[in-house]
Amino acid sequence: MSEVNLKCACGTVKEKTSAVSSKIGTGITCCCDSCQVFAQFLGQEGKVLDQYGGTDMLQIPVSYLTISQGKSEIACVRLSPKGMHRWYAKCCNTPIGNTFGAGGPFIGIIHSFIDKTTKSEVDLGKSRGHILTKFAKTPVPENLKGSSLNFNFRVVAKILS
Ligand SMILES: [Zn+2]
Ligand SMILES: [Zn+2]
């Protein structure tokens, strides 16, 4: 169990999580077109997207997040009327994460917002793999594919619990 420090590229926005573990946090790589558009919207596709166009993220309950500084620099955009709320640090266009509604209950924290110096110390288990791979820019090898069905069931189970 460990806390994860989060910060934007310029260091204005800082957040941290409560102690998370692989039981609470779920690592996934989302290949959907909307996540790709979000990275492009911020001009960060080179930093955010992997070779398949996937966005690596850590999904945790929103209640585990605390904003330490720079709250006024946090902005939110929706790329379509029913799209996810996509949060970013407007000081330097660092993507923060995605939520299904303004208030959670879960946030997918995008890897570029995770302070890499602390991430290595946190055991978050293995990523569940690439989901929504039909949107990937290049075919995702079978061994990297995660099951979005299982992923959805897990989310529902978490919400109900
Ligand atoms: Zn910043
Ligand atoms: Zn996505």
Side-chain angles (χ1 to χ4, degrees):
M1 301 278 275
S2 193
E3 295 177 349
V4 182
N5 289 318
L6 309 165
K7 68 179 178 68
C8 67
C10 75
T12 304
V13 179
K14 290 197 172 119
E15 301 185 19
K16 67 178 192 147
T17 70
S18 309
V20 292
S21 67
S22 55
K23 286 199 182 70
I24 292 159
T26 307
I28 54 153
T29 305
C30 186
C31 297
C32 84
D33 51 349
S34 176
C35 286
Q36 293 183 39
V37 169
F38 182 47
Q40 285 156 10
F41 168 82
L42 296 174
Q44 302 283 326
E45 60 266 55
K47 281 187 196 148
V48 173
L49 303 180
D50 69 10
Q51 60 181 306
Y52 309 108
T55 301
D56 200 19
M57 58 185 90
L58 168 66
Q59 193 169 55
I60 62 166
V62 171
S63 59
Y64 274 63
L65 266 191
T66 314
I67 300 169
S68 320
Q69 92 179 38
K71 194 172 183 179
S72 61
E73 293 300 320
I74 298 174
C76 180
V77 66
R78 294 179 88 179
L79 300 166
S80 63
K82 287 188 177 170
M84 298 181 85
H85 286 71
R86 295 178 179 275
W87 305 87
Y88 64 99
K90 62 185 179 191
C91 44
C92 56
N93 277 0
T94 299
I96 291 176
N98 311 314
T99 59
F100 278 109
F106 288 89
I107 181 165
I109 298 172
I110 295 172
H111 69 91
S112 48
F113 191 53
I114 295 174
D115 186 345
K116 302 292 188 293
T117 54
T118 60
K119 193 192 178 193
S120 56
E121 297 162 18
V122 183
D123 175 21
L124 296 170
K126 210 166 153 282
S127 169
R128 302 213 152 244
H130 286 62
I131 62 163
L132 299 168
T133 51
K134 67 179 175 184
F135 296 103
K137 287 180 183 163
T138 55
V140 176
E142 285 301 324
N143 63 339
L144 292 180
K145 279 187 192 172
S147 163
S148 47
L149 199 63
N150 282 344
F151 167 70
N152 286 335
F153 277 132
R154 258 178 78 92
V155 171
V156 171
K158 279 180 179 173
I159 291 169
L160 293 176
S161 65

